[in-house]
Amino acid sequence: MNPLFGQLINLLGALLLMLAFAMISQRRILSLIHLFTLQGATLVVATAVVGYVTNQPHLYVSAALTLGLKVILIPILLHRVINRLNVRWDTETLINIPTTMLIGILLVIFAFNLGAPIAKFSSSIARGTLGIALACVLLSFMMMITRAKAVPQVIGFLSMENGLFFAATSATYGMPMVVELGIALDVLIGVLILGVFMFQIREQFDSLDIRHLEKLKEE
């Protein structure tokens, strides 16, 4: 097998990681959506490359689902949400950006150290990407818990799912098609529900800051 394909997948994984770093340091919601779209497009290319190298036809279907869902449909839905809610302004973070980046670097180091022993048992062409995928998941999770606004948290959730999908694709050559279709449907329904949730927060509190929900707990 041509080692160049393995290097290409590693390169695409590195690009996913760079986009995850860019997302945790980004304050503008519109830019977050653009970065998420780029991350989805990178995932599409990585999935197609793995499908070509391993001769796994179902990965082409997975790439097409990712293209339609995460590169086209979900970004359109997110754009419509922020247009209707008028939330193009900079997002608030619970900790400052330099501290966030430092924590992100520590999470990447932890992810690579955690994934290295597991990757030794993998026979895939790009087993080194397991650490990258885990790092993307941890960075996305950190973005979810360090943002005060609902929209960036939704994008963080979607980005975390990208990392999990990349791990499944590169390390194990994908999941069964029934599982992938179920996950795609769950993600789409989740985005629709979270969209309704954001509209309800805005209607009740005239803001998307989820810290206002603490008022309900106090009452």
Side-chain angles (χ1 to χ4, degrees):
M1 185 177 297
N2 195 331
L4 289 178
F5 286 108
Q7 295 177 8
L8 176 59
I9 297 172
N10 286 329
L11 177 62
L12 292 170
L15 181 57
L16 282 174
L17 184 57
M18 291 175 61
L19 289 170
F21 257 108
M23 292 171 73
I24 65 173
S25 63
Q26 184 57 244
R27 292 182 177 272
R28 294 189 60 83
I29 295 179
L30 191 60
S31 298
L32 277 176
I33 296 177
H34 292 159
L35 289 171
F36 169 74
T37 305
L38 287 175
Q39 194 178 57
T42 304
L43 187 60
V44 169
V45 176
T47 304
V49 170
V50 174
Y52 174 77
V53 174
T54 62
N55 195 24
Q56 300 280 343
H58 74 277
L59 289 180
Y60 293 117
V61 180
S62 299
L65 284 173
T66 303
L67 176 64
L69 191 64
K70 297 181 181 178
V71 181
I72 299 174
L73 183 58
I74 290 180
I76 290 176
L77 292 175
L78 290 174
H79 276 290
R80 290 185 176 180
V81 167
I82 65 171
N83 286 334
R84 290 189 61 182
L85 294 176
N86 192 25
V87 288
R88 293 174 178 272
W89 60 77
D90 292 349
T91 61
E92 298 178 8
T93 57
L94 301 181
I95 55 179
N96 58 50
I97 296 300
T99 304
T100 300
M101 297 297 289
L102 179 60
I103 296 174
I105 293 173
L106 295 177
L107 287 177
V108 171
I109 295 173
F110 171 76
F112 274 89
N113 287 332
L114 183 63
I118 303 175
K120 293 179 180 179
F121 297 99
S122 175
S123 59
S124 68
I125 58 174
R127 57 186 181 182
T129 57
L130 184 60
I132 295 176
L134 181 57
C136 290
V137 171
L138 293 178
L139 290 174
S140 300
F141 183 72
M142 184 181 69
M143 187 174 76
M144 290 178 61
I145 64 178
T146 57
R147 300 294 175 127
K149 303 291 185 181
V151 177
Q153 291 187 342
V154 172
I155 297 174
F157 164 75
L158 295 171
S159 178
M160 183 168 62
E161 200 274 334
N162 282 346
L164 292 172
F165 189 85
F166 180 67
T169 301
S170 60
T172 63
Y173 302 150
M175 299 171 285
M177 184 53 60
V178 174
V179 177
E180 293 180 5
L181 289 173
I183 292 175
L185 181 61
D186 288 343
V187 169
L188 181 58
I189 293 176
V191 171
L192 294 176
I193 292 174
L194 290 170
V196 174
F197 174 68
M198 285 185 284
F199 280 110
Q200 290 295 326
I201 294 178
R202 181 61 177 271
E203 182 179 351
Q204 293 294 326
F205 302 108
D206 195 29
S207 172
L208 289 179
D209 193 330
I210 62 171
R211 287 173 291 187
H212 290 301
L213 295 177
E214 296 178 359
K215 297 178 181 178
L216 298 178
K217 183 173 64 176
E218 295 173 358
E219 295 175 359

